[in-house]
Every structure is written in structure tokens, then in C-alpha cells.
Amino acid sequence: MKNIVTTILFLFSLNAISQNDVEESYYQSERAENDVNQLLSYPISNLSENESVSNLKKKLKSEINTVSDCDVFYKYSKILKLNETEIEILKNRIEEIAQGFCSLKKYTYFQYTGGYSPIFGVKDETINNKIVSTAMLGGGCVIEESDKKSREILALFNSKMENCVLNK
């Protein structure tokens, strides 16, 4: 009888530990998603304006002032039927947004981690005496055309940011 009670108590304690581990895992996952999304959707004000930018903003129904905006519109530019001039505006806009991050001392890189076990979250490190966040965006083993476009536009952001981090 003692063995049965001990076994039952042991199983209940394993179940409680397991539930805590699952909840901790969910918490960490949601926290990582929140941290990444905050960086992707951080709005930058005072970006350049001209008639072409205004027309594109109307067409896309967006202020086009976040990394996420530029990323989504750029990678789906064919579906949105954007012309070369509009695509150039998005490229210039992402570089302006990177400069805005830099001006705010919000040093950030965006990186796809891909592979067998992709990482999603934000890590901080010190580069050139600056705290720099890297938003790791996960990703899969297969890279589709939209993934390539996303990597391309984020590379423009990262290049501008690298210049800022290393030279200011």
C-alpha cells in the first residue's frame, strides 16, 4: 500500500513539474514574439516626404514608417503591383528607418536563423561600446522567393545600421 501511495504521489509531482515547464516554455515563446514584434513595428517619425512617397502611402494605406511595413510591402511587391520607382521608395524608406533607429540609439539588426532549429527572439550584445539588439526571426530550411525578398530588404537596414554602429 505504501508503494502505491508513493508511486501516485511521485506521478503527481512529475505532472506538476511538467506543467510548470510547459507554462515556462509558453511564457518564453510569447515574450520572444513580443520583443521581436516591438522592434519590427517600432514607428519612426519625421521620415522624408514628397509626392511619390505620399502616393505610395495612399496606395498601400500605410505610413510606411516601420521595418515591418517595408518588409511586407517589399516582399509582396509583385502581388501589390509596385513599379520600380515604388520599390526604390521602399528601399530608401528602410534605410531612413535604420537611420531613425540609429538617431534614437536603438541599435538593432534583423537576422533569419533558419536551419533545423531556428531561433526566434532578441539577444543583446555590446559592439563598439553600444548595446545592440539582434532580432532573430527564425525561418525554415526552405527559402522561398518572399523569404529572399525579406532578407534583401532587411540587409539594406542592417547595412545602414552597421555603418551607424561602427562609425558613430
Side-chain angles (χ1 to χ4, degrees):
M1 187 66 165
K2 273 186 176 181
N3 288 339
I4 293 174
V5 170
T6 303
T7 304
I8 290 173
L9 289 174
F10 178 71
L11 291 175
F12 279 126
S13 68
L14 283 179
N15 187 32
I17 291 170
S18 176
Q19 286 177 348
N20 286 340
D21 289 346
V22 168
E23 286 180 4
E24 175 69 20
S25 177
Y26 284 140
Y27 165 74
Q28 293 299 334
S29 176
E30 286 187 34
R31 179 63 195 252
E33 186 173 341
N34 185 50
D35 291 348
V36 168
N37 286 335
Q38 281 183 1
L39 291 170
L40 285 169
S41 59
Y42 190 84
I44 300 297
S45 57
N46 302 324
L47 298 173
S48 66
E49 289 289 326
N50 60 38
E51 186 177 344
S52 297
V53 171
S54 294
N55 290 338
L56 184 58
K57 286 168 59 173
K58 286 177 191 171
K59 180 177 183 175
L60 298 174
K61 298 177 181 139
S62 171
E63 288 300 309
I64 319 171
N65 64 348
T66 69
V67 172
S68 180
D69 288 342
C70 291
D71 180 40
V72 169
F73 298 140
Y74 185 79
K75 72 182 175 184
Y76 295 110
S77 58
K78 284 184 184 176
I79 292 169
L80 296 168
K81 297 180 173 125
L82 301 183
N83 62 40
E84 289 302 315
T85 302
E86 293 166 329
I87 290 169
E88 273 309 304
I89 291 170
L90 290 175
K91 288 178 178 180
N92 292 333
R93 201 74 165 178
I94 195 80
E95 290 179 335
E96 279 188 79
I97 291 169
Q99 191 60 49
F101 269 62
C102 189
S103 296
L104 295 169
K105 296 182 175 22
K106 197 171 190 63
Y107 306 111
T108 307
Y109 292 112
F110 293 95
Q111 172 187 348
Y112 280 97
T113 54
Y116 181 71
S117 182
I119 300 168
F120 190 82
V122 176
K123 71 174 182 174
D124 292 329
E125 60 186 318
T126 302
I127 301 173
N128 201 23
N129 297 316
K130 297 173 180 97
I131 305 261
V132 179
S133 298
T134 300
M136 296 170 291
L137 306 174
C141 294
V142 177
I143 299 174
E144 296 180 8
E145 186 63 32
S146 63
D147 297 324
K148 289 177 186 174
K149 298 285 281 185
S150 182
R151 290 168 194 257
E152 188 178 305
I153 193 98
L154 293 177
L156 291 173
F157 180 97
N158 289 343
S159 176
K160 196 68 147 177
M161 184 59 63
E162 182 175 37
N163 186 41
C164 174
V165 168
L166 298 178
N167 297 317
K168 286 190 178 187

